[in-house]
Amino acid sequence: MAKTICVFNQKGGVGKTTSVVNIAVGLSRLSKKVLVVDMDPQANTTTGFGIDKNKDNLSIYDLFFEQENIIDAIKEYKSEDEDIKVDVIASNSNLSGLEVELIEFEDRALKLRQILSEIEKDYDFLLIDCPPSLGLLSINALSASDSVLIPIQCEYYALEGVSELLNTYNMVKETLNPDLDIEGVLLCMFDSRNNLSIEVVEEVKAYFKSKVFATMIPRNIKLAEAPSFGRSVIDYEIKSKGARAYLRLSEEIAENNKEVLHETNNKVFEEEIDKEEKISKDVKEDNDTEKNVSRETNLEDSKANEDEQINSSKDKLESEQKIDHEKENSKEHLSDEENFSDQKDSQGNVSHETKEESVKEAHKDIDVSHETMSAQREKSDLSKENKIQSDSNDLEHLEVEQEIGNVSHETKEADDENNAANEIEVDNDHIENSAEELKKN
């Protein structure tokens, strides 16, 4: 889980943005995974990492209202050093109206914490650049942080706003984030040749005591030039006094949080171990359950096999008893057959004589039957001959009747012709008589 540090001071121009950019790069060089969140509507941290704030990209503003995936809003700082890898969630001018838009939400002061909770486990450090104000954006950043880093310019006017800053810090700690701590006070733009800078350092150390970082950031022209190239001073000119100062500060921050990170890593490691142990326990319980089920199944199978063997033994015994019973019945049957055979032999002679007489009588019956069948066959043949003769006589009679019919038909036709001829002659005579009467008249 990440250590979240917000860089906060309501006074502008004290080095907040420069510190965020260069501390992030310095921690990355120490092999720390770092995410930077730009909560300033001016988006100077965004441009300081070489990201165009005017492009239509997902920003921290979008994550407050839209159901966007926070991973899609993360941009990577492109450094010439391959060892430097810093992720950035950019800002833009839309963020300036966020304080007004958040008024309608009951949890408006905790929205940023909810957003960052999704990814804090993936980083070692989360750095939040706050706007130069004591408004709702700064309160969200303080509520989402574990500690606050306070940059102070080594000038007189810089001390005037410290009391208001501490009032805001105490209010958030009492009401919203009781675990909020002061990471440290960073003295910026220190000039050892200026007595005023030395006096400011002494006053700050007298007030904050051990919370003041041992490293102070000097005035350096390279720190002012680097943002115009969209790069950190460590990338721009690593040999400059400003770059060396931020490298020392990064080491100091990493050293101060070594135990915290170690405890956090141990906690994460313990949580992972607990998860693995839980998974292992669940797997073991599942295996034990499977073993118990398998054991019960084996017992049931064993019992079933024993029952089957017992039933098989019973069936075998019954089969053997049945065979023995059949053998006894066979013996009794054989004994009965032997007794019957003896009786049969004793009666054999009488039966043989009776049988011979029966055979003789049967032969006589057969002879009589043959004679009867011969007589019936002759009678049948005679009947067939008579029937044939009768049929022949009927056929001749039919032919004679047919000839008579033909003659009668011819005679009738001749009579009809004669009658017709006579009628014609009569008609002719009548016609002739009529003609003669006509002539006479």
Side-chain angles (χ1 to χ4, degrees):
M1 189 176 294
K3 173 68 178 290
T4 305
I5 303 172
C6 69
V7 181
F8 172 58
N9 192 328
Q10 82 278 8
K11 188 179 185 310
V14 297
K16 294 189 298 295
T17 299
T18 301
S19 297
V20 170
V21 172
N22 290 290
I23 291 172
V25 174
L27 290 172
S28 180
R29 282 176 59 88
L30 297 174
S31 301
K32 306 299 182 183
K33 297 180 68 176
V34 184
L35 172 68
V36 174
V37 181
D38 190 357
M39 286 292 292
D40 188 351
Q42 298 178 70
N44 290 334
T45 299
T46 300
T47 56
F49 280 109
I51 300 171
D52 189 353
K53 65 180 180 180
N54 296 317
K55 282 189 175 180
D56 188 19
N57 296 323
L58 286 177
S59 67
I60 188 64
Y61 173 82
D62 298 314
L63 299 179
F64 271 84
F65 296 103
E66 300 179 12
Q67 299 297 324
E68 301 287 349
N69 189 347
I70 190 172
I71 302 299
D72 297 334
I74 296 175
K75 306 293 185 296
E76 185 178 352
Y77 169 55
K78 297 180 181 179
S79 173
E80 294 179 358
D81 190 344
E82 295 181 355
D83 295 332
I84 297 175
K85 294 181 180 179
V86 179
D87 291 337
V88 181
I89 297 180
S91 175
N92 55 36
S93 59
N94 293 332
L95 200 61
S96 58
L98 183 62
E99 292 186 347
V100 177
E101 296 176 45
L102 285 176
I103 292 176
E104 61 185 42
F105 295 96
E106 293 182 0
D107 59 345
R108 53 184 173 272
L110 303 174
K111 294 288 288 183
L112 184 61
R113 180 194 294 180
Q114 297 169 5
I115 294 170
L116 298 180
S117 63
E118 300 179 18
I119 56 169
E120 59 183 0
K121 66 180 180 301
D122 299 328
Y123 295 93
D124 296 316
F125 287 95
L126 265 63
L127 299 178
I128 304 174
D129 183 20
C130 297
S133 67
L134 298 175
L136 197 54
L137 294 178
S138 297
I139 292 175
N140 261 273
L142 291 168
S143 300
S145 300
D146 298 313
S147 61
V148 54
L149 189 153
I150 305 170
I152 295 178
Q153 187 179 1
C154 294
E155 293 182 359
Y156 175 75
Y157 289 114
L159 296 174
E160 291 184 349
V162 173
S163 60
E164 294 180 2
L165 182 152
L166 292 176
N167 289 336
T168 303
Y169 163 78
N170 290 325
M171 182 271 293
V172 173
K173 185 176 177 65
E174 291 174 2
T175 59
L176 298 172
N177 189 4
D179 295 327
L180 183 64
D181 195 7
I182 295 177
E183 183 69 26
V185 177
L186 176 63
L187 295 167
C188 300
M189 303 177 190
F190 175 72
D191 188 353
S192 59
R193 298 169 299 178
N194 190 334
N195 292 332
L196 180 60
S197 293
I198 295 173
E199 290 176 3
V200 171
V201 169
E202 290 176 355
E203 288 187 17
V204 171
K205 287 184 177 181
Y207 186 83
F208 289 101
K209 297 180 174 59
S210 61
K211 290 294 184 180
V212 180
F213 286 110
T215 303
M216 294 184 292
I217 308 301
R219 285 187 178 275
N220 183 243
I221 190 62
K222 299 299 180 182
L223 288 173
E225 292 176 355
S228 63
F229 293 93
R231 299 166 67 186
S232 73
V233 71
I234 297 172
D235 280 331
Y236 178 67
E237 184 56 70
I238 194 170
K239 295 181 180 180
S240 64
K241 290 190 296 181
R244 293 200 301 271
Y246 274 112
L247 287 173
R248 289 195 301 271
L249 177 62
S250 299
E251 292 174 357
E252 190 174 350
I253 293 173
E255 183 66 24
N256 292 342
N257 290 281
K258 182 169 63 176
E259 293 182 1
V260 176
L261 292 175
H262 181 68
E263 291 177 359
T264 302
N265 291 334
N266 285 342
K267 186 177 180 181
V268 173
F269 182 68
E270 288 174 358
E271 290 177 355
E272 291 179 354
I273 290 177
D274 291 340
K275 289 180 181 179
E276 291 179 356
E277 288 179 352
K278 185 177 180 181
I279 294 171
S280 178
K281 185 178 179 181
D282 293 340
V283 172
K284 186 177 179 182
E285 290 178 355
D286 292 339
N287 291 335
D288 292 339
T289 303
E290 291 178 357
K291 287 181 180 178
N292 292 332
V293 172
S294 178
R295 191 181 295 111
E296 291 176 358
T297 304
N298 291 333
L299 288 174
E300 291 177 358
D301 293 340
S302 178
K303 187 176 179 181
N305 291 331
E306 290 178 358
D307 293 339
E308 186 177 353
Q309 289 178 358
I310 291 170
N311 293 330
S312 178
S313 299
K314 287 181 179 180
D315 293 339
K316 186 176 181 181
L317 181 61
E318 291 176 356
S319 177
E320 290 177 353
Q321 290 176 352
K322 186 176 181 181
I323 291 170
D324 293 338
H325 183 67
E326 289 177 352
K327 286 182 179 179
E328 290 178 358
N329 291 335
S330 297
K331 289 180 180 179
E332 292 176 358
H333 184 68
L334 289 173
S335 178
D336 293 339
E337 286 183 351
E338 289 177 355
N339 294 329
F340 179 76
S341 179
D342 293 339
Q343 292 176 1
K344 188 176 181 181
D345 291 339
S346 62
Q347 296 175 359
N349 295 327
V350 176
S351 297
H352 183 68
E353 293 176 356
T354 304
K355 187 176 181 181
E356 286 180 352
E357 292 177 358
S358 298
V359 170
K360 289 179 180 179
E361 291 178 358
H363 281 302
K364 290 179 180 179
D365 293 336
I366 290 169
D367 293 336
V368 171
S369 177
H370 284 171
E371 292 175 357
T372 304
M373 288 176 68
S374 297
Q376 289 177 353
R377 191 179 297 111
E378 291 176 356
K379 184 177 181 180
S380 176
D381 292 339
L382 180 61
S383 176
K384 287 180 180 179
E385 289 177 359
N386 293 332
K387 186 177 180 181
I388 291 169
Q389 184 64 38
S390 175
D391 291 340
S392 177
N393 293 333
D394 291 339
L395 181 59
E396 290 177 356
H397 181 70
L398 182 61
E399 288 176 354
V400 170
E401 288 180 351
Q402 187 173 5
E403 287 178 359
I404 293 169
N406 291 334
V407 171
S408 296
H409 182 69
E410 290 176 356
T411 303
K412 185 179 181 182
E413 287 180 351
D415 292 337
D416 291 337
E417 288 176 358
N418 291 328
N419 291 331
N422 292 329
E423 289 177 357
I424 291 168
E425 287 178 359
V426 172
D427 290 336
N428 288 334
D429 292 336
H430 180 68
I431 291 168
E432 287 176 358
N433 291 330
S434 296
E436 286 179 358
E437 285 179 0
L438 290 171
K439 285 178 180 182
K440 288 179 178 182
N441 293 328

